[in-house]
Amino acid sequence: MPENAILIQTINLFNLSPASPDPAGITYVSTSGRLLVSDSEVNETALFTGDNLFETSLSGSLINTDSTISFSNEPTGITFNPNNGHYFITDDDRDRVFELNSQLQVINEFSTRVFNSFDPEGITYADGLGTLFIAGGSSSTIYQTTTSGALISSFDIASSGFRDPEGIVYDPERGTLFVVGENDANYNPYLAEFTTTGAVVNTYDVSAVNPVKLAGLTLAPNSQDPTKTSIYIADRGIDNNADPNENDGKIYEFDIGLTGVSNQAPVVNAGADQFLTSLTAISLDGTLADDGLPNPSGMLTSTWSQISGPGTATFGNASSEDTTVDFSTFGTYVLQLEATDGELTTTDQVQITVSNPNLSEFIYISTKTDGTVDGIAYADEDILLYDITTETWSQFFDGSDVGLGANGTDISAFHLNTDGSILLSLTKDMTVAGLGLVDDSDILRFVPTSTGTTTAGTFEMYFDGSDVGLTGSAEDIDAFGFTPDGLLVISTKGSHTVDSITGMDSIVGKDEDLILFNETSFGENTSGTWAHYFDGSDVGLSDGGGEDVNAMSIDANGDIYLSTNGSFNAPGVSGDGADVITFSPNSLGSNTSGVFSSFFDGSSNGLAGEVIDSFMLA
């Protein structure tokens, strides 16, 4: 027999201004103590004012509205990850899941069609497991995936007498899933509890409210007693296809006997590491999250402090999670954000490197293998920052945070744009979120929302190598940069043959050469022609072996900075793959001439035994 669900309150979303007539998803945002509702069809009604997200208090008072229209007209399910402040939203028209940052900006997305889910409805982040569960709607299937969309497992609920799961929420205290949908036998609305492998734990009778179409659900503090946990369920009511004037969206709060959770320590993020050239008015962007316990009013206090640094850090308001800080002198500082809920305390640290722009010179480096330098562990898909003046290292880009490193995928080349975006080429073909399969002859544009030890952002296609003749197995891009007038220059892993500017003769080169691309267009449809830029054999670099150019950068004067795949011996310079040398050209193209000089000795700066496979000067 189903257990009784005790109604605590009914929230009439149709009375909000603006109204939510078709609430499809609902989640509890623990950082604010509020509910966030997604309405999947308000945009199809005369009530639509431009927003389809509704933020309310636990008692149903409207606090704010927002919109997903820029990426989804059909926000079906919604869930919140309290560990990083991110949201996940399903779209059952496009069969996609979108990951949003705390500002509700899309930072990742994936298709559910790859695991045969063509009606993704509810979604829940499983805190403690670090995964997602997606209610498959018409397939009567529950899917467990990683947060990037890789299928972990699935189970069918139809065999247990249930169908069309519309909403789902994970209970970290019980380790179970609560699901709403329709009973398979009589199509009546149901609330059921399952294990994460599909066994029925319990069912609950919610018929007292005469629900029409149950949709999303979430667990949140009881609106009358925050030491208890309630289940909040959205009811979409009558579909607007049946009644274009309908406006009957509701949320029901039920007590189903769940005990309140124990007090959890606050979640603190001091923000991304920063690399700056100014001593004054540096902004700090901290974030805090708490469960509202032990104090029901959720009194959370925070304090910024200085842990280390060559001078003094002065905070604008040390008690505010978002504040400013001034520094008395240049150097590297470690700052700490501490938060306490009156019982438990959490801290997080951020590193701020403030370099004198009149004295410092930076080099950004990615290496061929994993390692450690100055106590900083790095992987081959990361980018390190070395301050040549202060001789200090820091992490600039963590590739594993954005899906790189899988199956041994390394960064083969990169370039930092002045707008903050990063151009990247990879050592292997791989599937990239939002782009699908990309080739190792392509260049991607990464638009970061944060860099450093916590890297996040989105990828775009910048250069499609196969469009312009880079189709051979040896024509993978292993280095690229830009001339002073902004033209792309690349080196390939092996020999290459591409079309020339004149179209008369092909450009044939080897792995120690550089070729220049005269673009007509970049992006998904790349077009243009090629020209000789640097002939390595003209200046003493041999074909193959250690003298393959596999990293390069060009400065504003036109000097070319090079690193090789191993040991090299060119006129006036010798070294190994951890070194960077400078070539000052007298002439370029098919008749290259100039002078080499040493620039950076990797072995004496912590990279002994390493091979630099990409770098850039700044």
Side-chain angles (χ1 to χ4, degrees):
M1 292 289 294
E3 292 194 15
N4 190 37
I6 301 172
L7 180 66
I8 302 299
Q9 65 165 332
T10 299
I11 299 173
N12 295 320
L13 298 178
F14 55 81
N15 282 335
L16 301 182
S17 181
S20 173
D22 281 291
I26 181 173
T27 191
Y28 175 62
V29 183
S30 57
T31 54
S32 64
R34 299 167 181 171
L35 301 174
L36 186 61
V37 178
S38 57
D39 192 309
S40 63
E41 295 185 357
V42 62
N43 60 301
E44 301 174 12
T45 73
L47 300 169
F48 185 51
T49 61
D51 289 343
N52 54 7
L53 294 179
F54 301 83
E55 182 184 21
T56 76
S57 67
L58 294 179
S59 60
S61 298
L62 183 64
I63 296 170
N64 197 10
T65 61
D66 215 311
S67 175
T68 69
I69 296 300
S70 63
F71 61 91
S72 173
N73 291 330
E74 188 91 0
T76 312
I78 187 170
T79 189
F80 178 70
N81 178 355
N83 300 304
N84 59 12
H86 290 187
Y87 300 84
F88 293 88
I89 290 180
T90 56
D91 184 318
D92 67 348
D93 273 355
R94 299 179 61 190
D95 303 331
R96 300 193 73 79
V97 174
F98 299 91
E99 181 178 2
L100 284 63
N101 62 19
S102 58
Q103 287 76 45
L104 298 178
Q105 300 166 326
V106 176
I107 59 173
N108 194 15
E109 62 181 276
F110 63 86
S111 172
T112 62
R113 296 175 185 173
V114 296
F115 47 85
N116 296 317
S117 173
F118 297 93
D119 185 28
E121 299 284 350
I123 188 170
T124 183
Y125 175 78
D127 196 13
L129 300 180
T131 66
L132 301 172
F133 287 91
I134 301 170
S138 58
S139 68
S140 296
T141 301
I142 305 297
Y143 304 90
Q144 183 184 16
T145 75
T146 66
T147 55
S148 58
L151 182 66
I152 298 172
S153 63
S154 64
F155 62 84
D156 171 60
I157 66 171
S159 59
S160 301
F162 301 97
R163 67 181 296 274
D164 195 20
E166 294 278 329
I168 188 169
V169 66
Y170 177 76
D171 183 352
E173 294 297 307
R174 297 159 69 97
T176 57
L177 298 163
F178 289 93
V179 179
V180 292
E182 295 178 345
N183 184 280
D184 195 27
N186 51 29
Y187 302 100
N188 289 328
Y190 71 84
L191 169 62
E193 183 180 8
F194 294 87
T195 67
T196 56
T197 56
V200 179
V201 176
N202 220 331
T203 58
Y204 300 86
D205 183 2
V206 294
S207 61
V209 296
N210 295 314
V212 179
K213 184 65 173 177
L214 296 183
L217 73 164
T218 193
L219 298 175
N222 184 293
S223 62
Q224 299 177 4
D225 182 357
T227 64
K228 297 180 179 180
T229 297
S230 292
I231 192 162
Y232 293 73
I233 309 176
D235 185 352
R236 294 179 58 185
I238 298 171
D239 191 274
N240 66 296
N241 289 330
D243 180 359
N245 297 314
E246 61 85 15
N247 182 19
D248 53 0
K250 299 177 181 178
I251 294 174
Y252 307 115
E253 179 189 356
F254 289 104
D255 180 354
I256 58 173
L258 301 178
T259 57
V261 299
S262 59
N263 181 31
Q264 302 295 310
V267 177
V268 178
N269 188 333
D273 292 346
Q274 298 187 51
F275 307 92
L276 309 164
T277 57
S278 173
L279 292 171
T280 59
I282 308 303
S283 295
L284 296 174
D285 184 15
T287 55
L288 307 175
D290 192 43
D291 56 9
L293 299 176
N295 189 325
S297 62
M299 294 299 293
L300 187 67
T301 59
S302 62
T303 304
W304 283 98
S305 61
Q306 179 181 345
I307 301 301
S308 64
T312 301
T314 303
F315 300 96
N317 182 355
S319 299
S320 174
E321 61 187 282
D322 296 328
T323 186
T324 59
V325 61
D326 296 336
F327 300 99
S328 62
T329 189
F330 296 103
T332 298
Y333 296 77
V334 175
L335 310 179
Q336 178 172 282
L337 178 60
E338 176 182 289
T340 179
D341 62 8
E343 182 179 273
L344 301 174
T345 299
T346 308
T347 62
D348 188 42
Q349 296 179 352
V350 60
Q351 179 175 288
I352 311 291
T353 300
V354 191
S355 295
N356 188 334
N358 298 316
L359 298 176
S360 296
E361 190 167 20
F362 301 101
I363 181 171
Y364 296 82
I365 291 176
S366 182
T367 60
K368 208 164 191 176
T369 58
D370 302 348
T372 302
V373 61
D374 275 359
I376 300 171
Y378 60 86
D380 55 11
E381 69 271 13
D382 298 340
I383 300 175
L384 298 170
L385 173 63
Y386 182 68
D387 187 322
I388 296 175
T389 301
T390 62
E391 298 183 347
T392 56
W393 291 90
S394 54
Q395 187 171 26
F396 174 72
F397 176 90
D398 189 328
S400 63
D401 286 350
V402 291
L404 304 184
N407 301 318
T409 305
D410 180 11
I411 293 176
S412 63
F414 69 85
H415 177 85
L416 276 62
N417 291 328
T418 55
D419 64 1
S421 63
I422 306 170
L423 301 181
L424 301 166
S425 188
L426 307 176
T427 57
K428 295 182 179 180
D429 301 353
M430 73 170 288
T431 300
V432 175
L435 291 179
L437 184 65
V438 299
D439 192 80
D440 48 17
S441 65
D442 297 337
I443 298 175
L444 310 180
R445 179 173 180 259
F446 177 73
V447 182
T449 54
S450 64
T451 54
T453 54
T454 302
T455 299
T458 55
F459 286 99
E460 303 170 352
M461 180 62 74
Y462 178 80
F463 172 90
D464 189 328
S466 64
D467 286 350
V468 288
L470 299 180
T471 56
S473 59
E475 294 178 333
D476 308 339
I477 294 175
D478 64 357
F480 68 85
F482 290 86
T483 65
D485 55 354
L487 295 179
L488 175 66
V489 175
I490 74 163
S491 174
T492 56
K493 184 177 180 181
S495 298
H496 53 261
T497 302
V498 291
D499 291 337
S500 70
I501 292 176
T502 63
M504 300 295 293
D505 299 313
S506 294
I507 300 297
V508 179
K510 297 181 179 180
D511 54 14
E512 72 271 21
D513 299 337
L514 304 177
I515 51 176
L516 180 144
F517 181 63
N518 291 272
E519 87 281 356
T520 305
S521 64
F522 282 122
E524 296 285 351
N525 297 301
T526 300
S527 62
T529 53
W530 298 95
H532 289 292
Y533 188 75
F534 172 89
D535 190 325
S537 63
D538 285 352
V539 289
L541 298 179
S542 63
D543 181 29
E547 295 187 341
D548 169 16
V549 172
N550 72 326
M552 55 88 65
S553 182
I554 305 173
D555 71 12
N557 297 321
D559 287 346
I560 305 171
Y561 296 78
L562 303 169
S563 187
T564 60
N565 195 43
S567 297
F568 61 89
N569 188 1
V573 291
S574 61
D576 58 29
D579 299 335
V580 177
I581 57 178
T582 306
F583 178 73
S584 300
N586 297 320
S587 63
L588 289 169
S590 56
N591 294 300
T592 299
S593 65
V595 178
F596 283 109
S597 58
S598 296
F599 175 74
F600 176 80
D601 187 331
S603 298
S604 62
N605 289 286
L607 297 181
E610 267 290 8
V611 172
I612 296 174
D613 62 2
S614 49
F615 71 90
M616 181 180 172
L617 306 180

